[in-house]
Amino acid sequence: MNVKELLTTAVEQDAADIFLVPGMPFSYKIGGRIIYQGQEKIMPEEMDRMITQIYELAKNRDMAKVREHGDDDFSFAIPGVSRFRANIFRQRGSLAGIIRVVRFELPDPEALHLPKMIIDVARMTKGMVLVTGPAGSGKSTTLACIIDEINRTRNAHVITLEDPIEYLHRHKMSVVTQREIVTDTDSYLTGLRASLRQAPDVILLGEMRDHETISTAMTAAETGHLILSTLHTIGAANTIDRVIDAFPPGQQQQIRTQLSMVLDAVISQQLIPTLDGGVQPAFEVMFLNNAIRNMIRESKIHQIDGVIATSQGEGMISMDNSIISLYRKGAISRENAIAYSSNSELMAKKLDR
């Protein structure tokens, strides 16, 4: 089996991921569902050959890492087809791989149902914006749309630190330099510290994994840069708690004060299966006003949800209201509306009104 043909077909069929696991047919993930391609199971010896072909496509990358440690993560491209991110690993003693398709063309915000208020984050010139949600909820895609809007409308230097690079930005009105962790720089923290000496206007930080990175990012936001980053939390209030809890107890009050000054928006999202077999995003959007800044400073995070629910005039929306709106439009089922809400009993009552 030729891996190049397999990857090309995956791109043509609009697959998001390709599963190469011994003992089952190779599969594509299309529209959130894993679909077998044929009935023929791939045996471990054949799989080893296929994985070797992937390493050859990645400029003959050395296989020592996966053989010694059992895991390897890297990107490669097939000219004229697409870019791919491969995660190769050992399972049950044999090699397997999950390959993500990385699109050359940038996503269309309208086709993704991204509200205008989220794209308008591109107008901000300083501060910190966090895009949050579970893995696979489209955070990278939302950020790619915001970066593209900056690139189209502003003359700025945008630096992205990603693991791995998921969308390729061409230089339009802005200069966009994209750095991949491990390939181009050692870590998020190293890359972030270096980026502050590279005359940036906007820094996209793929992930904030520890308190050192968060602290450096907040300082960068304080000094007049726009910092965009992600966390794996659902809901604005949970996000603020998560940032503060990353620090030792002795530093938390200082961090509350700093965060209340630098944070400008939290966009929380999750993808909900629709009735027509696709997915649609539900959003919680919080822009920080004086009331919310005071709540962060005074550790009254539990009151933030109430402010979001009553601040639609300021462009905010709560996750539950976003889900109810999708349900009323007939996009999602009642079961999914309840399953994806933060409080299922309360959501059931709201839907019955």
Side-chain angles (χ1 to χ4, degrees):
M1 173 121 8
N2 185 320
V3 167
K4 200 168 178 179
E5 285 171 21
L6 188 149
L7 296 173
T8 306
T9 308
V11 173
E12 287 165 359
Q13 292 191 21
D14 217 15
D17 297 285
I18 299 135
F19 286 76
L20 299 173
V21 181
M24 63 175 247
F26 72 87
S27 314
Y28 296 155
K29 191 171 193 177
I30 303 171
R33 290 175 59 236
I34 297 170
I35 301 163
Y36 282 1
Q37 305 297 309
Q39 298 300 315
E40 190 189 335
K41 291 180 179 176
I42 307 172
M43 292 298 117
E45 301 77 32
E46 171 72 3
M47 182 60 70
D48 277 4
R49 279 197 295 276
M50 292 171 78
I51 299 286
T52 305
Q53 283 180 41
I54 291 168
Y55 276 82
E56 285 165 5
L57 288 170
K59 297 177 182 168
N60 291 315
R61 183 183 172 89
D62 191 356
M63 291 183 74
K65 188 176 176 189
V66 72
R67 295 204 194 287
E68 287 168 24
H69 302 289
D71 288 290
D72 197 7
D73 200 15
F74 56 92
S75 299
F76 64 96
I78 299 176
V81 180
S82 190
R83 190 174 167 85
F84 302 90
R85 150 187 158 187
N87 186 279
I88 309 297
F89 54 96
R90 262 205 315 269
Q91 59 95 47
R92 299 182 192 169
S94 55
L95 290 178
I98 312 290
I99 298 161
R100 165 72 53 95
V101 179
V102 179
R103 305 283 167 192
F104 281 130
E105 69 277 7
L106 285 159
D108 172 15
E110 282 183 26
L112 296 171
H113 307 283
L114 275 186
K116 185 176 181 299
M117 59 200 169
I118 291 178
I119 298 301
D120 284 349
V121 163
R123 294 180 185 175
M124 293 181 181
T125 54
K126 62 182 192 304
M128 179 182 273
V129 175
L130 298 177
V131 178
T132 76
S137 61
K139 298 185 293 293
S140 302
T141 308
T142 298
L143 284 167
C145 291
I146 294 170
I147 294 290
D148 188 49
E149 181 69 9
I150 293 171
N151 195 7
R152 286 191 318 104
T153 58
R154 286 171 54 187
N155 180 255
H157 181 201
V158 181
I159 297 175
T160 77
L161 297 163
E162 302 170 75
D163 184 17
I165 290 171
E166 292 198 37
Y167 292 99
L168 299 179
H169 294 274
R170 293 175 173 84
H171 309 295
K172 295 175 186 173
M173 267 189 78
S174 292
V175 176
V176 185
T177 46
Q178 293 182 264
R179 308 188 71 196
E180 193 164 86
I181 305 306
V182 180
T183 314
D184 301 318
T185 182
D186 285 346
S187 67
Y188 280 117
L189 186 58
T190 313
L192 178 59
R193 283 178 175 154
S195 70
L196 295 172
R197 298 188 292 276
Q198 291 156 5
D201 298 293
V202 180
I203 300 170
L204 166 67
L205 192 58
E207 216 175 306
M208 297 197 296
R209 290 181 179 164
D210 52 51
H211 69 87
E212 269 189 292
T213 311
I214 296 172
S215 182
T216 310
M218 288 203 294
T219 306
E222 268 182 331
T223 53
H225 305 93
L226 176 62
I227 306 292
L228 305 167
S229 192
T230 73
L231 286 170
H232 291 285
T233 47
I234 300 175
N238 292 338
T239 300
I240 290 163
D241 279 336
R242 167 73 183 77
V243 171
I244 293 164
D245 288 346
F247 289 84
Q251 290 180 32
Q252 289 184 359
Q253 188 49 50
Q254 176 202 337
I255 294 304
R256 274 192 196 96
T257 305
Q258 194 180 7
L259 188 63
S260 72
M261 292 191 293
V262 302
L263 188 63
D264 281 323
V266 177
I267 298 159
S268 197
Q269 62 185 76
Q270 42 185 349
L271 291 179
I272 303 181
T274 53
L275 293 171
D276 61 7
V279 287
Q280 207 163 320
F283 293 98
E284 178 160 294
V285 180
M286 176 184 80
F287 294 108
L288 273 78
N289 55 22
N290 288 338
I292 293 174
R293 290 188 197 281
N294 285 335
M295 285 169 190
I296 295 173
R297 207 175 289 123
E298 294 164 16
S299 194
K300 294 178 180 172
I301 311 295
H302 58 281
Q303 295 179 8
I304 288 176
D305 286 340
V307 177
I308 296 171
T310 55
S311 301
Q312 284 183 319
E314 296 180 43
M316 300 195 215
I317 183 166
S318 70
M319 183 60 79
D320 280 5
N321 285 347
S322 181
I323 291 171
I324 289 167
S325 154
L326 289 177
Y327 173 70
R328 300 260 188 261
K329 278 194 281 189
I332 62 173
S333 68
R334 180 189 161 84
E335 292 73 32
N336 277 332
I338 292 169
Y340 284 84
S341 69
S342 52
N343 183 330
S344 50
E345 285 176 22
L346 190 60
M347 177 58 87
K349 286 177 186 165
K350 284 180 180 175
L351 296 179
D352 290 337
R353 280 178 197 160

